[in-house]
């Protein structure tokens, strides 16, 4: 009977997940419209790898060259090789690629819920965090793009899971070291920002070096992570400058820039990216990344939970290395976007919402907390009552739901109108050319 009940619960949970995913991907065939040229580059190289073992320019590359001449770019390998697995088994299509992209972000949101459950020990907190992650405009819109970002939330969540499991132990064993190093490698090789963010996250592990054994564990992790960087160093030595040319193109930092020029610009850009106006009101200014008029990229009710969580961490958990590391990760995850000229570029800051969502967990623990307080004096100051906490939580969750509904309405109304930003006209012209009896290739 127990086994039958367990199977019934698993079946019910699986059904819920399937229904949620169907809702999550609803409308994906027409929104976004078309297929942006960089998305085509990812999908085309994935198709070539699946059926020929070569990208456009070489066999089994570590980094994929897109385009030629002045438009040459080098794409990271993770998403392309993942998508090639799908294209090995099914016929490639825009819809298949978009569903694949959405599936990884959807799974990352569920894994965030799992991480929240592991941290708090409460299933209800895991469910709430996963639900808010699924409703977050930032992650939802990234899930619609077949770019180098669709696996990045998963890479960051897997890294946080590995770190959380390790930090529970006084001594980091081989499995812990390898898990952290492997997930750091994913963070590094999945998107161009990872070459900086991976290093920053590795450096931040020093927060856990609270004794000699922990320090040795961090050193071992650095060594293992360093081994994963050898292919990157070999590629860089054989292709000098190719991995930095795009950075110099989009950044205010140039080879000839001095520190006196860089530091003031970086400070202004960093503070601009931390501003609440783009986060909660305007969102990313690029319509490809965020639908105009749908409010910000992060839900206001969820951000209030982040602020409460931050206060709880400072007051109650500041001595805990895990929460200090989460705050550190939140702050440094903004840096990759701040090194470029685009204000609040949501793709280059894609790790930021993941850390913000993790910071909600202490707030949810506080608002769900059971109070057992005996008032010994008539005029003693009583803590916030349990009813008040539940009321605050209910109001914030209602705010999250209402804003998520508003965002979805605007996204589904305005999203399909972004023809220019997703190269819709190119496919129309190409299809018309194919209908002609004579054309040049």
């Amino acid at each position: 009977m127990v086994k039958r009940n367990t199977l019934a619960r698993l079946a019910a949970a699986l059904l819920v997940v399937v229904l949620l995913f169907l809702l999550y991907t609803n409308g994906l065939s027409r929104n976004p419209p078309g297929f942006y040229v960089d998305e085509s580059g990812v999908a085309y190289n994935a198709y070539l790898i699946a059926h020929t073992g070569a990208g456009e320019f070489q066999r089994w590359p570590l980094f994929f060259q897109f385009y030629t001449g002045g438009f040459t770019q080098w794409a990271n390998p993770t998403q392309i090789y993942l998508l090639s697995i799908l294209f090995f088994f099914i016929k490639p299509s825009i819809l298949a690629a978009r569903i694949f992209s959405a599936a990884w972000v959807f799974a990352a949101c569920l894994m965030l819920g799992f991480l929240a459950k592991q941290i708090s020990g409460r299933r209800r907190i895991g469910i709430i965090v996963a639900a808010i992650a699924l409703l977050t405009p930032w992650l939802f819109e990234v899930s619609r793009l077949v770019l180098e970002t669709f696996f990045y939330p998963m890479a960051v969540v897997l890294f946080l899971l590995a770190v959380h499991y390790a930090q529970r132990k006084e001594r980091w064993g081989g499995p812990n070291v390898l898990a952290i190093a492997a997930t750091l490698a994913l963070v590094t090789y999945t998107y161009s920002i990872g070459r900086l963010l991976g290093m920053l996250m590795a450096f931040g592990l020093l927060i856990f070096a609270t004794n000699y054994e922990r320090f040795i564990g961090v050193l071992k992790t650095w060594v293992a992570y360093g081994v994963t960087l050898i292919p990157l160093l070999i590629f860089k030595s054989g292709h000098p400058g190719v991995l930095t040319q795009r950075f110099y193109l989009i950044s205010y930092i140039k080879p000839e820039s001095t520190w006196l020029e860089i530091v003031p610009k970086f400070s202004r850009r960093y503070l601009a990216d931390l501003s609440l106006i783009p986060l909660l009101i305007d969102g990313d200014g690029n319509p490809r990344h965020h639908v105009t008029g749908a409010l910000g990229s992060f839900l206001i009710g969820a951000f209030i939970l982040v602020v409460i969580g931050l206060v709880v961490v400072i007051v109650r958990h500041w001595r805990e290395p895990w929460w200090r590391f989460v705050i550190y990760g939140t702050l440094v995850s903004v840096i990759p976007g701040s090194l470029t000229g685009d204000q609040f570029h949501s793709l280059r800051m894609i790790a930021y919402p993941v850390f913000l969502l993790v910071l909600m967990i202490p707030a949810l623990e506080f608002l769900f907390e059971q109070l057992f307080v005996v008032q010994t004096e008539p005029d003693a100051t009583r803590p916030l009552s349990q009813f008040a906490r539940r009321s605050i939580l209910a109001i914030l969750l209602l705010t999250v739901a209402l804003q998520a509904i508003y965002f979805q309405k605007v996204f589904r109304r305005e999203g399909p109108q972004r023809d220019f930003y997703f190269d819709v006209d190119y496919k129309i012209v190409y299809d018309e050319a194919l209908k002609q009896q004579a054309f040049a290739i």
Side-chain angles (χ1 to χ4, degrees):
M1 181 62 71
V2 175
K3 185 177 181 180
R4 183 178 299 176
N5 290 338
T6 302
L7 290 175
R9 287 196 296 269
L10 288 175
L14 180 60
L15 178 61
V16 169
V17 169
V18 171
L19 291 175
L20 283 175
F21 184 66
L22 291 176
L23 286 173
Y24 198 74
T25 55
N26 181 44
L28 201 53
S29 61
R30 59 184 182 279
N31 186 14
F35 210 47
Y36 178 50
V37 61
D38 285 356
E39 294 181 289
S40 298
V42 170
Y44 180 55
N45 276 275
Y47 169 76
L48 291 177
I49 285 290
H51 295 279
T52 69
E56 289 183 76
F57 297 93
Q58 64 184 109
R59 292 186 62 80
W60 304 110
L62 179 60
F63 293 93
F64 288 79
Q65 181 182 342
F66 284 10
Y67 323 129
T68 57
F71 298 97
T72 299
Q73 298 180 32
W74 293 84
N76 293 271
T78 308
Q79 281 89 337
I80 294 177
Y81 280 109
L82 283 174
L83 189 55
S84 71
I85 297 173
L86 177 72
F87 286 166
F88 182 81
F89 293 102
I90 71 169
K91 180 180 178 181
S93 68
I94 293 175
L95 180 58
R98 290 206 188 282
I99 291 176
F100 188 75
S101 171
W104 279 109
V105 180
F106 179 85
C109 294
L110 298 186
M111 289 296 289
L112 258 174
F114 177 75
L115 174 62
K117 197 268 183 185
Q118 296 300 303
I119 293 171
S120 66
R122 297 187 180 187
R123 183 181 300 174
R124 67 176 70 177
I125 290 179
I127 292 173
I128 291 173
V129 170
I132 293 177
L134 289 171
L135 295 174
T136 298
W138 200 330
L139 297 178
F140 182 83
E141 290 182 299
V142 164
S143 76
R144 267 56 191 159
L145 305 175
V146 188
L147 295 173
E148 293 179 289
T149 45
F150 72 73
F151 185 76
Y152 213 78
M154 177 62 82
V156 175
V157 174
L158 291 175
F159 167 68
L160 289 175
L161 271 169
V163 173
H164 184 260
Y165 282 133
Q167 63 90 33
R168 291 175 171 179
K169 303 177 180 179
E170 284 300 314
R171 176 180 296 179
W172 292 5
N176 297 123
V177 168
L178 292 177
I180 296 175
T183 52
L184 272 175
L186 279 178
V187 169
T188 302
Y189 285 98
T190 297
Y191 187 28
S192 298
I193 66 167
R195 294 195 282 275
L196 172 62
L197 193 59
M199 295 288 188
L200 292 172
M201 291 299 166
F203 177 77
L205 294 176
L206 282 173
I207 293 172
F208 297 102
T210 53
N211 55 45
Y212 177 76
E213 291 183 342
R214 285 281 191 89
F215 179 67
I216 294 300
V218 171
L219 290 182
K220 290 179 180 179
T221 304
W222 283 355
V223 171
Y225 175 51
V227 171
T228 71
L229 298 180
I230 292 175
L232 174 62
L233 297 175
I234 293 174
F235 180 88
K236 185 178 180 181
S237 65
H239 304 77
V242 301
L243 295 182
T244 55
Q245 62 185 13
R246 178 161 173 78
F247 173 76
Y248 288 133
L249 179 66
I250 63 177
S251 175
Y252 51 83
I253 300 174
K254 309 298 179 184
E256 65 275 9
S257 298
T258 65
W259 285 105
L260 290 177
E261 297 171 329
I262 294 172
V263 172
K265 290 181 180 179
F266 170 77
S267 300
R268 290 193 296 269
R269 285 287 299 105
Y270 184 81
L271 292 175
D273 283 342
L274 278 180
S275 170
L276 300 185
I277 300 301
L279 181 70
L280 304 178
I281 306 300
D282 295 335
D284 191 327
N286 187 335
R288 187 182 303 115
H289 306 158
H290 182 67
V291 171
T292 305
L295 289 179
S297 296
F298 202 78
L299 299 170
I300 295 172
F303 185 75
I304 294 174
L305 285 172
V306 172
V307 174
I308 296 173
L310 181 60
V311 172
V312 171
V313 167
I314 293 172
V315 173
R316 293 185 174 183
H317 305 298
W318 187 251
R319 293 182 179 275
E320 299 175 25
W322 164 255
W323 288 113
R324 296 203 302 271
F325 180 78
V326 170
I327 293 176
Y328 167 82
T330 304
L331 294 174
V332 301
S333 63
V334 180
I335 292 177
S338 304
L339 293 175
T340 62
D342 300 294
Q343 183 172 342
F344 201 81
H345 192 285
S346 57
L347 302 189
R348 296 172 195 147
M349 296 167 57
I350 188 58
Y352 186 42
V354 175
F355 282 96
L356 290 179
L357 289 163
V358 173
L359 270 176
M360 294 192 313
I361 298 170
L364 293 171
E365 290 178 316
F366 172 75
L367 295 174
F368 275 121
E369 192 173 64
Q370 300 291 331
L371 297 180
F372 301 98
V373 180
V374 177
Q375 188 171 357
T376 58
E377 300 179 16
D379 59 343
T381 301
R382 300 183 65 184
L384 195 63
S385 72
Q386 189 167 311
F387 174 77
R389 297 186 193 206
R390 297 293 194 275
S391 300
I392 291 171
L393 178 60
I395 291 170
L396 291 178
L397 293 182
L398 178 61
T399 303
V400 165
L402 291 175
Q403 187 179 347
I405 292 171
Y406 174 78
F407 164 75
Q408 288 291 335
K409 288 181 64 176
V410 175
F411 179 82
R412 294 178 189 281
R413 183 181 69 243
E414 303 296 334
Q417 311 304 319
R418 297 174 291 171
D419 291 8
F420 173 77
Y421 297 96
F422 285 92
D423 299 327
V424 172
D425 291 340
Y426 176 83
K427 188 175 186 307
I428 295 173
V429 172
Y430 182 77
D431 290 343
E432 186 62 31
L434 291 179
K435 295 177 183 177
Q436 307 300 319
Q437 292 185 354
F439 59 89
I441 297 180

